[in-house]
Amino acid sequence: EAGVTQFPSHSVIEKGQTVTLRCDPISGHDNLYWYRRVMGKEIKFLLHFVKESKQDESGMPNNRFLAERTGGTYSTLKVQPAELEDSGVYFCASSQGWRGQETQYFGPGTRLLVL
Amino acid sequence: GNSVTQMEGPVTLSEEAFLTINCTYTATGYPSLFWYVQYPGEGLQLLLKATKADDKGSNKGFEATYRKETTSFHLEKGSVQVSDSAVYFCALTDLGGTSYGKLTFGQGTILTVHP
């Protein structure tokens, strides 16, 4: 069974440009989460999809970030326009279940550097 | 709100030494507790978990006990190996919150084990 995959693995862009990150969860997992780790700080929650619906987007930093999950399969996270403070590692995770105790399976992350 | 505090790193040990990484938490509801590990160049993977008070999670020689009275979930291993070198994250999900499954992480502890 394939794990969670993320694309690209690395991205270097200039301030003001747009970047789109993609996450493919484990097949059949209804829950998809996005997290971010800014250098030197803890991993922080961004948002949670259940199938194609946003269950919780309380962690999204501002309206420059837009997440979608069309058809309840893969998800994209777009940053437009990117700012220096958006640099960090973006993780995606998926799980199945609704009790909140389930194991989340993480992708390898996308390392974003905004210059 | 919820929070997780881990002992500051980095931690450097010799092979076969005893390991303890402290983790304490604050939660508003009924948290489940997790330890995730990130090996070099890889994504996060679940190491162990405990879903209620006094539960002990264990895996690969690592153990942690959910202590409600001290709000702690310390990670221990009796004899570390070089292959245990990684970053360790303590985390919780809180069923009393608005988003089930949302992980709150500690800042991570870097462990380096020397031969």
Side-chain angles (χ1 to χ4, degrees):
Chain A
E1 179 183 282
V4 177
T5 58
Q6 293 186 245
F7 182 83
S9 58
H10 294 78
S11 181
V12 181
I13 61 172
E14 293 189 350
K15 176 182 171 181
Q17 290 185 322
T18 297
V19 62
T20 300
L21 313 181
R22 173 170 169 146
C23 169
D24 286 78
I26 292 173
S27 178
H29 280 189
D30 288 338
N31 297 305
L32 189 150
Y33 301 84
W34 283 98
Y35 296 89
R36 176 175 75 169
R37 188 181 194 198
V38 172
M39 189 164 59
K41 301 201 172 178
E42 66 269 28
I43 300 169
K44 290 208 166 179
F45 167 83
L46 296 178
L47 87 159
H48 170 202
F49 284 100
V50 178
K51 298 185 179 178
E52 67 276 7
S53 299
K54 292 176 184 174
Q55 175 73 18
D56 182 352
E57 52 184 333
S58 62
M60 295 287 264
N62 51 61
N63 59 10
R64 295 186 294 102
F65 289 74
L66 175 65
E68 295 180 326
R69 191 182 183 195
T70 307
T73 55
Y74 71 91
S75 174
T76 58
L77 179 65
K78 182 162 71 173
V79 185
Q80 180 182 29
E83 299 289 345
L84 299 180
E85 64 265 25
D86 300 333
S87 296
V89 182
Y90 290 76
F91 293 103
C92 173
S94 71
S95 70
Q96 183 62 0
W98 53 270
R99 297 181 63 199
Q101 304 170 339
E102 297 78 18
T103 298
Q104 292 184 27
Y105 296 87
F106 281 76
T110 293
R111 193 172 297 272
L112 174 65
L113 179 59
V114 182
L115 301 175
Chain B
N2 299 333
S3 68
V4 176
T5 302
Q6 283 181 240
M7 67 184 285
E8 295 273 344
V11 174
T12 303
L13 295 173
S14 297
E15 205 164 26
E16 299 183 2
F18 184 85
L19 168 71
T20 300
I21 301 178
N22 290 337
C23 171
T24 57
Y25 67 88
T26 303
T28 54
Y30 308 97
S32 294
L33 302 174
F34 304 81
W35 277 99
Y36 278 85
V37 59
Q38 185 179 23
Y39 296 103
E42 300 182 13
L44 280 77
Q45 54 186 270
L46 179 70
L47 181 59
L48 53 84
K49 69 178 183 182
T51 58
K52 61 183 187 296
D54 299 325
D55 270 2
K56 177 186 283 188
S58 61
N59 185 26
K60 299 182 180 180
F62 291 89
E63 293 183 339
T65 301
Y66 187 157
R67 302 284 189 202
K68 188 175 179 181
E69 62 276 12
T70 55
T71 62
S72 64
F73 193 54
H74 304 321
L75 182 68
E76 296 183 337
K77 186 174 185 183
S79 176
V80 294
Q81 305 301 310
V82 172
S83 57
D84 294 326
S85 298
V87 184
Y88 292 81
F89 296 93
C90 186
L92 66 81
T93 60
D94 188 354
L95 298 183
T98 57
S99 174
Y100 62 87
K102 166 185 172 181
L103 284 164
T104 299
F105 285 92
Q107 66 267 43
T109 302
I110 299 172
L111 170 66
T112 302
V113 181
H114 293 297

